[in-house]
Amino acid sequence: SSPYPSENIMVTHEDHIALTTLAFLARTSGQLDAFRNRLKQTRQLRSSSFVECRYYGDEVYICICLEAALQENQTLTWWMDITPRDQQWLIEASALWNGRDSVAQLPAQVVPDFQAVQAGFPNILDQLLQAGEAVLDKVMARVAAVDKPAGE
């Protein structure tokens, strides 16, 4: 299936690559938005997210981030980096407490090409979101137990 709306558009090979990449970024953003909406509806949590491309030194990364605030000074951050490495693609994913302490980490994955990144990524992101969500539920249950008045 084509990543762009109309099959009637004549595009160059470079246009096709750009449109395919943009469609991947849009689908990824949509997946994060759906999860953020679920956090808001089921747990009344404020959250923010982004999908962007960055340079770290000479290397380009696709960065995917979602941050949920439990309280003013307590956040859970879901973080993923996708980067070309040694003529392959490296996908790293972790959930971090207050942006520093790893509370869930998926094994790094190396895939042969960007097509493989696109094919496997929704599943990998879903695994990360679920792992972080499990941590979030444990923390929220502890907070609820501490906040409960004596005698309940």
Side-chain angles (χ1 to χ4, degrees):
S1 84
S2 174
Y4 32 92
S6 174
E7 287 294 334
N8 299 328
I9 299 173
M10 293 294 292
V11 294
T12 65
H13 180 67
E14 289 79 13
D15 289 337
H16 176 75
I17 291 169
L19 290 169
T20 300
T21 303
L22 292 172
F24 167 74
L25 297 173
R27 284 190 308 273
T28 300
S29 186
Q31 191 175 351
L32 286 177
D33 289 346
F35 186 76
R36 283 182 54 220
N37 286 336
R38 198 168 88 215
L39 286 178
K40 185 176 182 180
Q41 291 171 354
T42 61
R43 294 172 185 83
Q44 293 74 49
L45 290 178
R46 290 187 335 266
S47 62
S48 59
S49 64
F50 63 81
V51 178
E52 64 184 24
C53 298
R54 294 182 177 182
Y55 272 107
Y56 290 113
D58 292 339
E59 295 185 358
V60 66
Y61 284 74
I62 299 172
C63 301
I64 295 99
C65 177
L66 186 149
E67 186 172 86
L70 278 73
Q71 296 177 0
E72 194 65 35
N73 60 347
Q74 294 181 322
T75 59
L76 183 64
T77 304
W78 289 260
W79 186 271
M80 294 185 75
D81 284 330
I82 303 170
T83 187
R85 186 78 44 91
D86 299 324
Q87 299 180 353
Q88 296 180 316
W89 290 84
L90 175 65
I91 303 171
E92 297 176 295
S94 58
L96 306 166
W97 188 246
N98 291 327
R100 292 182 303 276
D101 304 316
S102 180
V103 293
Q105 188 159 356
L106 300 182
Q109 296 196 28
V110 177
V111 296
D113 53 36
F114 196 71
Q115 191 172 358
V117 170
Q118 293 180 82
F121 186 79
N123 232 3
I124 297 167
L125 179 56
D126 195 46
Q127 288 174 33
L128 177 65
L129 293 174
Q130 287 177 22
E133 188 174 27
V135 170
L136 192 61
D137 288 343
K138 286 179 188 173
V139 170
M140 290 182 78
R142 264 187 276 160
V143 168
V146 169
D147 288 347
K148 198 179 273 191
E152 278 192 38

